[in-house]
Amino acid sequence: MKRYFFAFFCCFFVYSFLFGDDSDIRSYISKMTSEEKASQVLMMSIEGEKKFPPYLSSYFDSYTPGAFILFGYNFSDTPQACAYYIKSVKQSVQNLSKSKTFIPPFFASDFEGGRVYRIRKIGSPLPSPKKIAKTLTEEEALALYTHTAEQINLLGIHLNLAPIVEKERSQGSGFLDDRIFSNDEDVLVRYAKAFISGMKKGGMLSTVKHFPGNAETDPHLSKSIIDVDQDIFYRDFINPFRRIIYGSDEVVLISHAEVSFIEKKPFCFSKIGIEKFLRNELNFKGLIITDDMAMKTLKTDGRSTEDNVLLALAAGCDMVMCSEPKFKELVEVISKKMKAESDFLKRIDDAVFNILKTKIKMGIIDETCRPIEKYKFNKEKFYKAKKDAENILKNSKQSK
């Protein structure tokens, strides 16, 4: 009898270790309203740079987006002011919330380096990915990205919408150019891994983008179509991502480009593409987010932003990014579709599960989905990390 009891205890322990947290999250999701779930799958832009604008109280009302994306205009001239602004936003939406348990939003922004680097006014310099790969060793890059992440994390930001893990389709097109480490796949993969590892050491999660790649045109400006055969698609598009995210549970940002041999629709709307290539073939278990729904490439076929958001979520994206001020409208259309369609409700439940798992990794909620993050800005730590990063760049230049 003791032997059976011991065996039962061991099985129960293993089950609890592997699945206990997941069942707590699923239980929490089952108690959320449709509107609360709809809010969680949205990454919205927000105005202001010093504190939460009071006029936005009626805009957000009692619901909180799952995340906020910060653009250049959200960053003040000092790290203290930036950290205070983010704290103000979080506290304000928490005060507005009528949920029994408030789920904090996470904050995301672009810190690729070079021309796409939101804290260039207040943080240490960060060269473009291409320059990093040409002038720094992998060890130097790892250290530089670690100290850069420490600065970003101290401001209260959780997710870096970088690195780009794709090859430039047309040299000199201006769309990616120096935003990628190299067109040599081995160099690209090595430095992308250094980027991701450095960010993680510094307290940040990274976003591998733009899966599965882009065409020669900029999707911000026009429709983007990847017109290649399957062999080239696997070799030039999928393979760099495979070498970095296979079997992982990190974060991936989906491209708006259309892959013509899969489906005549943007990849973020392609259930076939997302399930076959990302979830199944790359065995990806993490969070899938879209690029901005406001991009012109999605506005070419007469669809509204609301239509685009529903299509992306139904296809398998977990969180949609939207820089347009349509939070209430999007919450309404998502929750309405959830109430009408059981399959879509299950899809959103799965999306919210991936979002909450990511927030646990970020350290902003615990395994029971209770908020745990505190105000973390520390002036001394920020300027030490800034100096450490600057020294890496200085010493690297002296050694070459």
Side-chain angles (χ1 to χ4, degrees), residues 49-51 74-89 119 121-123 151-152 154-156 375-384 386:
E49 64 171 334
K50 295 181 179 178
K51 65 178 182 178
N74 295 123
F75 289 88
S76 300
D77 292 329
T78 67
Q80 296 94 323
C82 289
Y84 178 80
Y85 167 71
I86 292 170
K87 177 186 177 183
S88 171
V89 171
I119 61 165
K121 293 187 295 185
I122 61 173
Q151 297 168 67
I152 300 166
L154 284 166
L155 299 178
Y375 184 59
K376 64 176 82 174
F377 183 72
N378 181 300
K379 182 178 178 181
E380 290 72 27
K381 287 183 178 180
F382 182 92
Y383 283 105
K384 181 182 183 305
K386 181 178 180 180

Side-chain angles (χ1 to χ4, degrees), residues 214 217-225 253-258 264-270 289-313 317 319-324:
N214 279 285
T217 53
D218 186 342
H220 293 82
L221 306 175
S222 62
K223 195 167 186 176
S224 181
I225 300 176
L253 188 147
I254 293 290
S255 167
H256 288 339
E258 175 185 306
K264 303 289 186 188
K265 60 176 67 172
F267 197 85
C268 59
F269 299 158
S270 175
I289 63 177
T290 72
D291 216 332
D292 192 357
M293 291 285 113
M295 287 188 185
K296 288 185 178 179
T297 188
L298 300 183
K299 304 282 190 179
T300 57
D301 296 316
R303 295 180 303 266
S304 68
T305 299
E306 290 86 342
D307 294 332
N308 290 334
V309 166
L310 293 178
L311 287 169
L313 291 169
C317 298
M319 177 174 272
V320 288
M321 181 193 304
C322 185
S323 62
E324 296 176 317

Side-chain angles (χ1 to χ4, degrees), residues 320-380:
V320 288
M321 181 193 304
C322 185
S323 62
E324 296 176 317
K326 291 197 168 192
F327 178 61
K328 281 187 174 181
E329 294 91 336
L330 294 177
V331 169
E332 182 179 350
V333 297
I334 296 169
S335 58
K336 183 178 179 180
K337 188 175 178 69
M338 289 168 62
K339 293 171 184 176
E341 300 177 21
S342 59
D343 286 347
F344 188 72
L345 171 60
K346 184 181 183 305
R347 170 80 272 281
I348 298 301
D349 281 352
D350 289 341
V352 174
F353 176 83
N354 289 334
I355 291 166
L356 296 185
K357 288 279 283 188
T358 302
K359 289 187 176 186
I360 291 171
K361 288 175 64 176
M362 290 172 171
I364 63 177
I365 57 175
D366 64 18
E367 288 78 5
T368 62
C369 301
R370 291 194 180 100
I372 59 174
E373 187 185 37
K374 294 185 168 77
Y375 184 59
K376 64 176 82 174
F377 183 72
N378 181 300
K379 182 178 178 181
E380 290 72 27

Side-chain angles (χ1 to χ4, degrees), residues 209-245:
K209 67 181 186 184
H210 313 78
F211 185 86
N214 279 285
E216 297 180 5
T217 53
D218 186 342
H220 293 82
L221 306 175
S222 62
K223 195 167 186 176
S224 181
I225 300 176
I226 299 172
D227 191 15
V228 297
D229 64 31
Q230 184 167 302
D231 289 341
I232 293 176
F233 183 68
Y234 274 102
R235 185 192 69 202
D236 292 346
F237 290 84
I238 295 295
N239 207 50
F241 288 94
R242 181 191 302 277
R243 295 174 64 182
I244 293 171
I245 63 169

Side-chain angles (χ1 to χ4, degrees), residues 29-55:
I29 292 171
S30 70
K31 298 171 186 174
M32 295 173 67
T33 67
S34 297
E35 289 76 14
E36 288 168 345
K37 294 175 185 178
S39 300
Q40 279 301 304
V41 301
L42 295 173
M43 177 187 288
M44 304 299 300
S45 62
I46 185 170
E47 297 176 6
E49 64 171 334
K50 295 181 179 178
K51 65 178 182 178
F52 179 81
Y55 59 82

Side-chain angles (χ1 to χ4, degrees), residues 159-160 162-163 195-196 199-200 204-208 250-252:
L159 183 67
N160 186 352
F195 184 105
I196 294 165
M199 286 291 146
K200 189 171 290 187
M204 297 280 295
L205 293 187
S206 299
T207 308
V208 174
E250 302 297 327
V251 185
V252 165

